[in-house]
Amino acid sequence: MSLRLLATVASTLLCAQVTKLLVQWVSKQLYSPLREMPGPPSPSLLFGNFGKLSFRLFQRWQAQYGPTFRYHAIFRSHHLFTADAVALHHIVNNPDVYEKGEMVRYALTQLLGRGLLALEGDEHTKLRKIMSPAFGPSQIRGLTELFLDKSIELRDVWTRSPADPTGWIPVDVFEGLKRMTLDVIGLAGFAYEFHALKESTDEQEKRSPLEVAFREFFMDRQGEGVGIDLRIVLRAMFPLLRAIVPPHPKMLAERKTMDKVGLQLLQEAKTAIVSGDKDSERRDLLSLLVQSNISEQESHRVSDQDVVAQLPTFFAAGHETTSTATSWALYALARAPDIQEKLRAELTSMGTDSPSLDALNGLPYLEKFVREVMRVYGPVAFTNRVATRDDIIPLGTPYTDTRGVKHDSVSVKKGQFVRVPVGAVNQDPRIWGEDAAEFNPDRWDSIPSAASEIPGVGYAHLFTFLGGPHNCIGWRFAIAETKALVYTLVRGFEFALALDEGDGEEVQIRESVGAIRRPEVVKRKVSGSWKPWKGYEATEAQLPMRVRRI
Ligand code: HEM
Ligand SMILES: *[C@@H]1O[C@H](CO)[C@@H](O)[C@H](O)[C@H]1NC(C)=O
């Protein structure tokens, strides 16, 4: 009797639960404020437009539907896309309403721990405040020597590589730049020597345990590395699975290593500061953070654990972005020999291998070139936000719905997913003109007034580093590092594309689909479809080029 009652109660509850979900889904369909917004049709009931959301596809949709439209995600839910400067200003400056969604934050936390990227609200504000001084202009000025030293080390690694009879050296510039930027963030961030640029076998033994852990974690995607493991995705999407599907064991082990080494590094930084040794004055971000923690009032201080948790995030956010941008910079130079020559003429007019940051910033063509790289090849394609409550997003450019009604704002419901097209804003023809997609450093001689509405970090009217309280804390770091690299490498080498398109093989360098626009090589098969090109031993992101010492 009681058992039957229990079963009845249980099934009633289950029915109620399922019904509730169904009702929610149906009402979401019927009352979704985005229902009548223009946008592409959904090719699949289950997956919507998912599966091929490339940067170029969004650009095409933008051209067709305007800066604000909706597209379909799984189960026909609507995602909002907006490249409208007024809307983006609202979104990035209201971080309490527009957070990274629970799913993204969970995945980020699994992968990188509780770093700045994954935190929101008070936790984020507190940590961000204490870390910010370490990224100010004078700190970055002090790091310039390191940026240049490591650029020179990379130049020398390439110089020592075997050349063909005409003097050209084949290199994967992406791989080299990734090693360089990893070494830099290790030292500049945490006084930690990754030795990623060291190649030879006996030196390999000197590789640090953290480097090994880190390389496995982020760089070795095709091999045994964790990368974006299916388990992370599943656990992020379905909270119920978190209790059942265990995380990747290797990922746990590597995270543990990073925490252990992180604690050690923090202890070293603290000891150095307490001993107050002026000769060995440390400039790394970790030391600055320990210092700003000391000078903060009690309630604003951060725990050791919270600080150690930042290491993986800074290693990840701080190296692949800058190396990707600089790879594209060299690619742009190889494609435009006149720009390459003009830039080299300016750089070789300087009589030193190690100029100050102010001297670098005083080079006008280098400035224009780097701005144009960050505009056309800004390495972050997009980010996402989810509305934590119902809201109204104002628009600069109104949209006309499918019934012909004009709207100068979008009303969204709690839970609305918003795609923030970081890269597309920089190439929006409505802002930059008809030639927006072209790489032309001279456009910076006169900037269109519409560009000043972009809610960026204040660097060259670009959205490359986002804007608002979650903007890129490392943007000055990234610009200075990119300048140091371009300065050293373009003075040292002539750059050309390595792929010979003349031998009947149709190969192309493209950008990968995903949040980071990495260079990859694809090859067209006879049948017509593009397949990953395997060469230079790497199988994923790569940028094969030829360099010749000057
Ligand atoms: C060209 C190079 C870079 C680009 C284009 C870039 C871009 C971005 C973007 C778009 C965001 C916002 C992500 C979001 O909220 O969804 C971001 C955040 C962040 N970036 Fe960068 N970044 C670059 C280099 C760096 C470097 C060198 C560092 C560290 C030294 C760094 C550290 C961070 C951190 C910690 C965050 C999280 C900030 C927060 O949420 O408060 N980035 N970056
Ligand atoms: C910050 O200060 C608190 C209180 O003095 C201390 O317990 C903590 O270890 C410090 N954190 C760091 C990262 O130095």
Side-chain angles (χ1 to χ4, degrees), residues 130 266 270 286 289-291 293-294 298 301-305 307-308:
I130 214 151
L266 178 58
K270 282 186 169 178
L286 190 60
L289 201 146
V290 171
Q291 264 159 344
N293 186 54
I294 291 170
E298 195 66 38
R301 290 186 185 159
V302 290
S303 74
D304 291 5
Q305 223 46 54
V307 168
V308 169

Side-chain angles (χ1 to χ4, degrees), residues 100 124 128 185 314 317-318 321 379 383 385 465 470-472 477:
K100 292 195 187 75
H124 174 262
R128 174 89 193 201
I185 190 67
F314 275 84
T321 42
T383 184
R385 293 294 188 262
F465 300 99
H470 265 288
N471 69 21
C472 177
F477 188 114

Side-chain angles (χ1 to χ4, degrees), residues 524-536:
R524 197 203 294 271
K525 286 269 158 60
V526 189
S527 65
S529 67
W530 292 93
K531 293 272 174 323
W533 177 82
K534 294 187 170 57
Y536 290 80

Side-chain angles (χ1 to χ4, degrees), residues 267-281:
Q267 278 319 323
E268 281 168 27
K270 282 186 169 178
T271 314
I273 283 163
V274 171
S275 71
D277 187 355
K278 274 275 171 241
D279 293 338
S280 62
E281 203 179 317

